[in-house]
Amino acid sequence: MNIVLFKETEIDKPLKKGDERFEHCIKILKKKSGDTFDAGIIGGMAGKALIKSLDENQMTFSFEPLTDGKKLYPLTMIIGFPRPIQLKRLFRDMAGLGVERILLCGTELGEKSYMKSDLVNDGTAERLLLEGCVQAASTHIPELKKYETVRESLLSIKKSEDTHLILLDNINPECALSGFLGKIEFTENTRIVAAIGSERGWTDSERAMFKKAGFTLCSMGSRILRTETASTVAASIILDRMGVLK
């Protein structure tokens, strides 16, 4: 854990033995009464926690907020529903990178059984996103939505004149992703929406749907990448061009 995260309602309550965060502070960080550790409120500020008392059963602490907790970046990722094992890695990586929204959607060529996975609804997704935030020492969790079709996901996009829409596709690209991003004059109002297909890619009808919605088809080269790999690479390239990785 690079930061210990709490719900706002937990701040004034003792941390009990058996809680993963308690065990981490005692066994990994080797903390004692009077010590501090990096902490934050989920969806809120980050700062320092001061251990006021500590025994083998519980720990009491105070919290001093210091920073905004690393706000999320204005990047939305539309992702064709991948294999559950890939989805687990994807959640951690997207949260670690700091994307603002993750829109999972069914695709025409995607395996329909993947959509039946309980990962999104049984609390696993939230836990994995939280793990990504803890790794990145961030308090802010990306918004996660699930849609049955590409059309439904497109209807949920929040557009403005400063929103740029990208469809990653190595079949019929109009330009390279780097070239498209190079033409954007990034400002504090710039937002990016990038779409990554499921493991069999997009169909022609889906490409047409994206183009009608204003997306530009961009390529990251001729190699065919796994969905979670393509998502991480695309997000990294976009965030670098935004200037947030400097």
Side-chain angles (χ1 to χ4, degrees):
M1 293 183 184
N2 292 315
I3 190 171
V4 181
L5 296 180
F6 299 91
K7 296 178 181 177
E8 191 165 9
T9 54
E10 295 178 307
I11 290 297
D12 296 323
K13 297 178 180 178
L15 197 58
K16 302 286 187 177
K17 180 180 180 180
D19 189 299
E20 180 183 14
R21 297 165 297 182
F22 178 91
E23 304 299 332
H24 178 77
C25 289
I26 304 306
K27 297 180 180 179
I28 306 301
L29 300 181
K30 309 292 185 183
K31 294 298 182 179
K32 300 177 181 178
S33 181
D35 289 344
T36 62
F37 58 90
D38 293 325
I41 298 173
I42 297 173
M45 297 187 72
K48 290 288 183 180
L50 170 66
I51 300 176
K52 298 164 66 176
S53 66
L54 175 65
D55 58 37
E56 62 181 13
N57 294 313
Q58 68 176 27
M59 174 178 74
T60 62
F61 63 95
S62 60
F63 173 68
E64 180 185 7
L66 299 172
T67 73
D68 66 7
K70 299 180 182 176
K71 294 285 189 179
L72 299 175
Y73 304 124
L75 171 60
T76 293
M77 300 293 293
I78 299 177
I79 300 172
F81 215 96
R83 295 173 183 267
I85 192 170
Q86 294 182 20
L87 189 56
K88 291 179 179 180
R89 294 191 290 263
L90 189 148
F91 283 145
R92 293 191 187 99
D93 289 344
M94 292 298 101
L97 285 168
V99 307
E100 188 174 53
R101 303 178 75 211
I102 303 168
L103 309 182
L104 294 175
C105 67
T107 62
E108 293 178 9
L109 296 178
E111 175 57 53
K112 302 303 184 249
S113 64
Y114 299 163
M115 292 287 292
K116 298 178 181 178
S117 169
D118 291 328
L119 283 176
V120 177
N121 302 317
D122 67 0
T124 301
E126 183 178 3
R127 176 177 60 80
L128 295 170
L129 289 170
L130 200 59
E131 287 181 9
C133 293
V134 167
Q135 172 63 40
S138 169
T139 62
H140 299 282
I141 304 176
E143 178 186 0
L144 174 63
K145 296 289 185 181
K146 176 184 172 182
Y147 299 96
E148 294 296 320
T149 65
V150 167
R151 186 180 303 278
E152 290 178 12
S153 69
L154 290 176
L155 290 174
S156 73
I157 294 175
K158 304 169 184 176
K159 297 180 184 178
S160 71
E161 61 181 18
D162 294 315
T163 300
H164 300 271
L165 310 174
I166 300 167
L167 178 69
L168 276 301
D169 181 61
N170 59 0
I171 301 300
N172 294 309
E174 300 171 51
C175 61
L177 175 60
S178 57
F180 178 84
L181 295 172
K183 297 177 182 179
I184 299 174
E185 185 175 341
F186 285 88
T187 69
E188 60 181 17
N189 296 318
T190 301
R191 313 189 74 81
I192 299 288
V193 179
I196 307 285
S198 54
E199 62 185 35
R200 297 186 182 95
W202 307 111
T203 63
D204 286 341
S205 64
E206 287 172 334
R207 292 186 186 94
M209 198 181 307
F210 276 108
K211 291 191 70 172
K212 185 177 180 180
F215 281 72
T216 298
L217 277 63
C218 296
S219 168
M220 293 191 296
S222 61
R223 294 180 179 273
I224 301 173
L225 304 177
R226 289 179 179 271
T227 299
E228 84 275 22
T229 303
S231 299
T232 301
V233 171
S236 299
I237 292 172
I238 293 167
L239 293 174
D240 179 63
R241 184 62 185 85
M242 283 181 170
V244 302
L245 301 186
K246 294 181 180 179

